[in-house]
């Protein structure tokens, strides 16, 4: 479903080139929850943003649904991006809009009839357990509730892929577990493929089927989650698994 082949990304910062991704090759299978883990600055957020071409690779190929999307025009990419939902660490909600209208916003942009929007948003509210909060504003919500709104909004366009960029990093452990449980339910009930970027090993252990470890823009290890935790091969993975290590 998602395939990256020899992807490189170089940023030009003043007179210096920053090599954010180095020859990334990976394949995410339809219906799985795939984790990408690494320290801050390792390139994981840049990597996830190449999947929907929010960051165009300097070189390499990106395949979605067996089509190379690197050479598509911005107009052609719009259709692909409708198949990909994305949620972020800081929620990115509209502060002046209610929970209902935050979720409805992407549907309104497609000129969907109001009655269909109402029906769809109410179903999404039920899915994320926020039906009683639909008329509330983001300022009155907890962090976990805000993330649930963001998840519902990302699902509004019926995506086949959900990208999660540090989606639990701003949440306390109990709320993190609740959000991961919701993501797992979405994966199982809706069959949505999830790519989850994190620096939290406990997140990977609890939800991901497979995981890739990235360091300095390179994939240093990839495999089934259980196997990787039980038999880590790279030095970076062993460091990440060290419970005494404080992650930033």
């Amino acid at each position: 479903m998602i395939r990256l082949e020899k992807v490189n990304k170089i940023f030009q910062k003043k007179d210096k080139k920053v090599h954010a991704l180095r020859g990334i090759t990976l394949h995410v299978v339809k219906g799985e929850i795939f984790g990408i883990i690494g320290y801050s600055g390792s390139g994981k957020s840049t990597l996830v943003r190449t999947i929907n071409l929010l960051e165009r690779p300097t070189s390499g190929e990106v395949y979605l649904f067996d089509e190379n999307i690197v050479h598509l025009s911005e107009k052609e990419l719009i259709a692909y991006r409708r198949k990909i939902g994305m949620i972020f660490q800081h929620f990115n909600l509209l502060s002046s809009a209610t929970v209902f209208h935050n979720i409805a916003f992407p549907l309104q942009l497609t000129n969907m009839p109001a009655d269909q929007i109402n029906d769809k948003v109410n179903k999404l509210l039920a899915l994320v357990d926020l039906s009683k909060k639909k008329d509330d504003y983001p300022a009155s919500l907890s962090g976990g509730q805000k993330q649930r709104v963001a998840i519902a909004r990302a699902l509004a366009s019926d995506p086949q892929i959900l990208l999660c960029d540090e989606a639990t990093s701003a949440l306390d452990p109990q709320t993190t577990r609740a959000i991961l449980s919701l993501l797992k339910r979405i994966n199982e009930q809706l069959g949505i493929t999830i790519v989850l970027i994190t620096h939290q090993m406990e997140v990977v252990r609890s939800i991901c089927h497979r995981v890739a470890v990235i360091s300095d823009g390179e994939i240093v290890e990839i495999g089934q989650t259980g196997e990787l935790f039980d038999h880590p091969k790279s030095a970076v993975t062993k460091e990440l698994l060290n419970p005494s290590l404080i992650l930033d």
Side-chain angles (χ1 to χ4, degrees):
M1 173 168 274
I2 303 168
R3 184 158 52 91
L4 277 62
E5 297 285 350
K6 300 179 180 178
V7 168
N8 292 280
K9 178 65 179 181
I10 299 173
F11 292 102
Q12 185 72 45
K13 294 189 176 181
K14 295 183 179 180
D15 59 346
K16 182 182 179 182
K17 289 185 177 181
V18 178
H19 213 140
L21 299 177
R22 304 170 185 269
I24 298 289
T25 294
L26 61 83
H27 180 207
V28 179
V29 178
K30 182 179 179 180
E32 75 175 336
I33 302 176
F34 188 90
I36 300 173
I37 192 164
Y39 293 116
S40 295
S42 62
K44 57 188 185 296
S45 290
T46 301
L47 174 55
V48 77
R49 289 167 66 87
T50 64
I51 293 175
N52 57 5
L53 259 59
L54 288 177
E55 291 288 356
R56 283 185 174 270
T58 305
S59 63
E61 311 299 336
V62 179
Y63 293 86
L64 292 183
F65 315 106
D66 294 323
E67 181 171 357
N68 188 352
I69 66 171
V70 167
H71 306 294
L72 297 182
S73 67
E74 285 300 320
K75 184 177 180 180
E76 291 170 323
L77 276 174
I78 291 173
Y80 273 91
R81 287 180 178 144
R82 290 196 185 108
K83 303 176 184 179
I84 306 173
M86 194 163 188
I87 59 175
F88 305 89
Q89 178 179 354
H90 297 297
F91 322 126
N92 293 357
L93 301 181
L94 300 170
S95 61
S96 61
T98 64
V99 167
F100 182 96
H101 286 103
N102 263 283
I103 300 169
F105 182 68
L107 301 175
Q108 292 167 341
L109 292 178
T110 66
N111 297 315
M112 179 181 285
D115 59 335
Q116 292 182 29
I117 290 176
N118 187 68
D119 181 62
K120 188 159 196 174
V121 172
N122 282 323
K123 288 179 179 177
L124 288 168
L125 284 165
L127 177 67
V128 300
D129 300 320
L130 284 179
S131 295
K132 295 180 180 179
K133 297 287 185 179
K134 70 177 185 177
D135 296 321
D136 291 6
Y137 288 85
S140 68
L141 303 178
S142 67
Q145 289 169 337
K146 290 176 183 177
Q147 195 58 284
R148 288 175 182 271
V149 177
I151 291 170
R153 182 183 57 189
L155 296 176
S157 59
D158 296 321
Q160 297 179 46
I161 298 168
L162 184 61
L163 306 179
C164 305
D165 190 1
E166 297 281 10
T168 61
S169 294
L171 306 176
D172 61 72
Q174 183 176 354
T175 306
T176 291
R177 286 192 292 270
I179 292 298
L180 293 177
S181 178
L182 173 60
L183 290 174
K184 189 173 182 179
R185 179 154 51 94
I186 288 168
N187 169 257
E188 293 172 349
Q189 291 183 4
L190 304 181
I192 294 176
T193 303
I194 296 177
V195 179
L196 193 149
I197 304 300
T198 185
H199 65 269
Q200 300 168 293
M201 291 301 286
E202 64 273 18
V203 169
V204 168
R205 184 192 290 270
S206 66
I207 193 174
C208 295
H209 301 122
R210 288 193 303 138
V211 59
V213 181
I214 185 170
S215 177
D216 194 26
E218 296 182 278
I219 298 293
V220 297
E221 189 164 355
I222 188 168
Q224 297 291 328
T225 302
E227 178 66 19
L228 185 140
F229 271 79
D230 291 340
H231 305 288
K233 296 180 176 63
S234 76
V236 173
T237 308
K238 291 174 182 177
E239 288 177 2
L240 286 164
L241 284 169
N242 184 346
S244 66
L245 187 67
I246 299 175
L247 299 179
D248 55 7

